[in-house]
Amino acid sequence: YYNPYYVVPSTTTIVYNYSNPIPVETASVVTPPTSDSEPAPVPGSDNPDFDAARAAFRDADYGTALSRVDAAIQRVPTDAVLHEFRALVLFALLEYRQAAAVVHSVLAIGPGWDWTTMSSLYGNVADYTNQLRDLEAYVKQNPNSSDAHFLLAYHYLTTGYADEARRQLAEVDRLTPNDRLVRQLLGMSETATEPPAENPTPKPPV
């Protein structure tokens, strides 16, 4: 396994070494994501730090959300859901390379969330729309940023827009060739379908 986006932080505490997949206790080996796998659920309220992180996130207090989810991960480093939530917080904070590194490690062991799960974490879904637009604008301004393309592909997959995700993954494959995870995700996106009309997420621009 190789995570092309993880860089050891020099000024902050290392929360987790994302050069490795998340060592989920229920998975003895690293398995690639499959199109028929169930998305990861949001865990129950058995981790007070994660409860506080979610509450802060719903209030758009992303700095507090990050510090509390980091504490939650220190309690249970093998919970992939905590890491995926951490990636969402980093996305909201515009820390795209860090978010991409976390997502890459999470998706190396299985599928991520669906839109129902992700949207439930926001107090106002419009906040997510604005954050997605910010990432789209960043990708346009930085067309050679593989990590930004990868992160955008993840969000398009999460919201159900397979065609847009496939375009982003193709760019990632061009910019960062020989990434096995990206090849797997490309295969998944080719068999996925577009979301139903009632999907509350606005369709990304083509």
Side-chain angles (χ1 to χ4, degrees):
Y1 172 74
Y2 170 65
N3 189 334
Y5 309 124
Y6 179 64
V7 177
V8 178
S10 58
T11 59
T12 59
T13 302
I14 297 176
V15 177
Y16 181 81
N17 181 356
Y18 290 107
S19 64
N20 301 300
I22 310 300
V24 178
E25 293 176 348
T26 56
S28 57
V29 296
V30 175
T31 55
T34 57
S35 58
D36 58 352
S37 298
E38 291 295 326
V42 174
S45 299
D46 55 358
N47 189 321
D49 287 309
F50 185 51
D51 292 342
R54 284 189 293 178
F57 189 85
R58 288 184 65 84
D59 291 338
D61 183 359
Y62 302 127
T64 298
L66 182 62
S67 63
R68 298 309 294 267
V69 74
D70 285 353
I73 289 171
Q74 290 178 345
R75 284 172 173 263
V76 190
T78 57
D79 191 334
V81 173
L82 298 180
H83 292 278
E84 189 163 5
F85 180 80
R86 184 171 190 263
L88 186 63
V89 177
L90 290 168
F91 158 75
L93 288 168
L94 311 183
E95 297 288 350
Y96 297 141
R97 185 176 182 87
Q98 291 187 57
V102 180
V103 168
H104 198 283
S105 189
V106 169
L107 296 185
I109 61 166
W113 294 329
D114 59 11
W115 170 241
T116 299
T117 301
M118 182 176 284
S119 63
S120 70
L121 296 167
Y122 281 85
N124 185 349
V125 176
D127 291 340
Y128 174 82
T129 301
N130 292 333
Q131 292 160 14
L132 181 63
R133 296 297 181 243
D134 286 340
L135 176 56
E136 289 169 338
Y138 181 86
V139 168
K140 287 184 177 180
Q141 294 166 5
N142 300 271
N144 292 323
S145 177
S146 178
D147 54 292
H149 283 289
F150 178 79
L151 184 62
L152 186 56
Y154 159 77
H155 280 277
Y156 285 164
L157 287 171
T158 301
T159 52
Y161 294 105
D163 288 342
E164 288 79 3
R166 187 161 46 249
R167 294 188 188 98
Q168 297 302 319
L169 289 169
E171 281 299 298
V172 177
D173 192 40
R174 181 183 66 84
L175 294 166
T176 311
N178 303 318
D179 187 331
R180 294 177 60 187
L181 175 61
V182 171
R183 295 291 176 85
Q184 292 164 359
L185 293 173
L186 271 169
M188 288 172 55
S189 69
E190 289 175 358
T191 60
T193 57
E194 289 293 316
E198 65 269 23
N199 191 316
T201 305
K203 188 174 180 62
V206 177

